[in-house]
Amino acid sequence: MRYVGGQGRTARHGPPSAGVLLCALAFAGSAGAAQAQAQDQQQDRGTSVSERETLNNDGAGTGIRLGSFVFRPTLRLDGEYNDNIYATDTDRRGDAYLIVRPEAAIVSDFGRNALGATAYLERSEHAKYTGEDVSQYGGTINGRYDIARTTRLSGAAQFDRAAESRGSLGTFRQTSTPAQFTSLAGEAALAQDFGPFSLSAGGRVRKLSYSDALLGTARIDQSYRDFTIRSASLAASYGFHELTRIVIVGEIERRRYKLRPGDIRYDPSTLSDQSADGFRIEAGVSREITSLLTGTIRIGYIRYDYADPRLRDIGGLSYFGDLNWNVTRLTTITAAASRRLDETTSPVTAGNLRDEARLSVDHELLRRLILSADVRYASIRPSNTFATSREFEASAGAHYYLNRNLRLEAEIRHSGRASADRSIAFRANSFLIGLRLAR
């Protein structure tokens, strides 16, 4: 069984015909919305479409007041179809499935400080390939303590019991059911302002543990994929004036895998010790170019040294950039590009160096109808080979708000990966129509 390591992400999908239906519904009640938009034009200047959507709380409900907290329960019902459910290069198989996701959040409404928690449960049920049915769940607790007006302490803890997408770069494709894992993470940060100068320091720990995978009736021990990441970061910025800030960020990281030399289960003929120590440092500028155009660009150096001498160390250019452009009060364009080192999940390769770029457009066609489009491209190179893979993804969707508590969604998505290694190459088309109910 041959594959290349790396973590992917689960994509959402949906149908074009539903988008036409949403447009028709929106135009049926658009007269009052157009007048309201004209009245709010001055107030919304410089605010992105997504920010205005959040501030308006359309489709988010009003929540239930519990003293100094607000409780917000939500329910998502999504119907999806994927024409390549196993994300394979050959023998493509399609399936329709239903995703049910209840979620609850409780957030504070303090004058100072903040405290919140979320919990979710997600269940997918497939019409044909029921082995893909899976339950995922988790939760997060986060808070902020305002020590003083210029000093803030924040922290968060997160737990997830999740399943890997079949399109994830490092997952087993041939298993009877999706590979499942548990993720535990905790982080803390301290931020201090000194007039125009700001400084923040933080630390993070994340531990991933993989369950056995099923291949027919045989169980595959995935403990070699278990690892822990510990990192510490420091960021500083200085504002020459309210429009421009110089930014410097640095991070050190230690990755340690569960199976290493000295463990009785470690076999150097089939495994490599992918544990590594690394760092990244970048410097750049964050600039409000106009009231409608803001951006950040950083350039630096990234380095990872591996414990196993058979693995090639990684060192080279590191970069990050983003741009947010409110073309008009109804249209927002965002772009981002970065280089990072993905955690590997392969027993024979180390990290995957990923260069990724993304472009997104949001447009408020009507007060209750938001259209969106997104394009992503990534070039991925494993550390011990020159065989580069290329990932691509394009989607278009719509949100239609029936009222404050109810939102319709539709999306169509094309995704895939091209590689000389046909075992990780695939193309897939997906369609989604969903309903979001909020209290």
Side-chain angles (χ1 to χ4, degrees):
M1 189 174 301
R2 181 169 179 263
Y3 63 97
V4 177
Q7 301 259 12
R9 68 183 186 88
T10 303
R12 311 293 290 178
H13 319 282
S17 56
V20 176
L21 173 63
L22 293 180
C23 291
L25 290 171
F27 278 111
S30 62
Q35 182 177 2
Q37 288 173 352
Q39 293 172 346
D40 293 341
Q41 183 170 2
Q42 191 65 32
Q43 146 185 349
D44 290 338
R45 176 177 172 82
T47 304
S48 70
V49 172
S50 59
E51 288 172 339
R52 188 162 59 251
E53 183 180 359
T54 301
L55 290 173
N56 289 340
N57 282 325
D58 285 333
T62 56
I64 303 170
R65 172 67 65 174
L66 300 173
S68 298
F69 292 84
V70 178
F71 177 63
R72 298 184 184 278
T74 61
L75 175 65
R76 288 185 62 105
L77 298 172
D78 292 336
E80 297 195 40
Y81 177 79
N82 188 319
D83 68 0
N84 190 2
I85 195 73
Y86 291 107
T88 58
D89 191 43
T90 58
D91 191 25
R92 296 161 59 99
R93 302 182 186 185
D95 198 4
Y97 46 99
L98 176 69
I99 298 177
V100 181
R101 183 185 173 103
E103 187 170 345
I106 185 166
V107 294
S108 64
D109 189 22
F110 307 148
R112 291 181 57 186
N113 311 318
L115 183 63
T118 62
Y120 71 91
L121 169 64
E122 180 174 298
R123 176 68 182 176
S124 66
E125 293 285 343
H126 290 68
K128 188 175 182 181
Y129 299 105
T130 56
E132 298 301 291
D133 296 349
V134 67
S135 295
Q136 304 180 76
Y137 52 89
T140 302
I141 298 176
N142 59 76
R144 188 194 74 248
Y145 176 57
D146 299 327
I147 301 173
R149 186 175 61 86
T150 58
T151 310
R152 302 168 300 280
L153 178 65
S154 60
Q158 183 173 349
F159 166 81
D160 292 287
R161 177 62 177 171
E164 287 184 318
S165 163
R166 289 292 190 178
S168 176
L169 184 56
T171 193
F172 281 116
R173 306 295 182 86
Q174 300 92 338
T175 54
S176 306
T177 58
Q180 293 189 285
F181 64 93
T182 298
S183 173
L184 289 169
E187 59 184 46
L190 179 65
Q192 176 69 53
D193 297 331
F194 304 93
F197 179 72
S198 296
L199 187 67
S200 64
R204 187 171 190 263
V205 177
R206 185 187 182 205
K207 181 176 182 179
L208 268 71
S209 301
Y210 288 82
S211 300
D212 292 348
L214 290 176
L215 184 58
T217 58
R219 285 189 172 273
I220 302 173
D221 183 1
Q222 294 197 96
S223 60
Y224 68 87
R225 301 179 65 182
D226 298 352
F227 65 91
T228 300
I229 294 181
R230 294 178 175 85
S231 62
S233 62
L234 184 66
S237 68
Y238 180 79
F240 288 103
H241 45 72
E242 61 182 12
L243 301 181
T244 305
R245 298 191 72 86
I246 299 297
V247 181
I248 300 175
V249 297
E251 182 181 39
I252 57 174
E253 184 176 277
R254 169 168 288 191
R255 303 182 180 187
R256 291 294 180 266
Y257 281 75
K258 182 177 180 179
L259 295 188
R260 306 187 64 197
D263 190 300
I264 192 171
R265 294 173 296 170
Y266 180 79
D267 182 356
S269 65
T270 59
L271 295 176
S272 59
D273 183 6
Q274 303 159 56
S275 301
D277 293 321
F279 71 89
R280 174 178 59 92
I281 185 167
E282 295 173 347
V285 61
S286 179
R287 168 77 176 175
E288 182 178 325
I289 303 168
T290 72
S291 62
L292 304 178
L293 181 64
T294 59
T296 299
I297 184 169
R298 300 195 307 261
I299 298 176
Y301 184 77
I302 186 172
R303 176 78 185 186
Y304 277 85
D305 296 316
Y306 289 90
D308 196 319
R310 295 172 297 177
L311 298 179
R312 187 179 63 195
D313 296 337
I314 292 177
L317 177 70
S318 174
Y319 62 86
F320 170 85
D322 66 15
L323 189 70
N324 189 86
W325 181 23
N326 292 306
V327 184
T328 70
R329 61 174 298 276
L330 300 179
T331 305
T332 300
I333 297 177
T334 57
S338 65
R339 169 174 285 182
R340 70 176 188 266
L341 186 71
D342 287 346
E343 303 97 342
T344 183
T345 57
S346 166
V348 294
T349 64
N352 294 311
L353 196 61
R354 175 185 292 262
D355 293 279
E356 184 167 289
R358 181 186 293 272
L359 178 67
S360 302
V361 180
D362 294 316
H363 178 68
E364 186 179 312
L365 183 63
L366 296 170
R367 190 69 168 183
R368 292 181 177 270
L369 179 61
I370 308 295
L371 305 180
S372 61
D374 186 87
V375 177
R376 180 181 66 88
Y377 175 83
S379 175
I380 307 162
R381 180 167 60 86
S383 65
N384 64 342
T385 177
F386 291 99
T388 299
S389 300
R390 297 174 301 280
E391 288 183 351
F392 44 90
E393 190 174 79
S395 66
H399 294 171
Y400 180 71
Y401 296 95
L402 296 172
N403 53 49
R404 181 171 290 276
N405 302 99
L406 197 59
R407 184 174 82 190
L408 287 175
E409 299 179 356
E411 186 180 71
I412 179 173
R413 182 180 298 270
H414 173 76
S415 59
R417 181 183 302 114
S419 175
D421 184 352
R422 302 296 294 274
S423 68
I424 61 173
F426 77 95
R427 288 177 181 269
N429 298 294
S430 325
F431 310 92
L432 171 149
I433 185 165
L435 184 68
R436 185 179 188 273
L437 177 65
R439 172 64 171 83

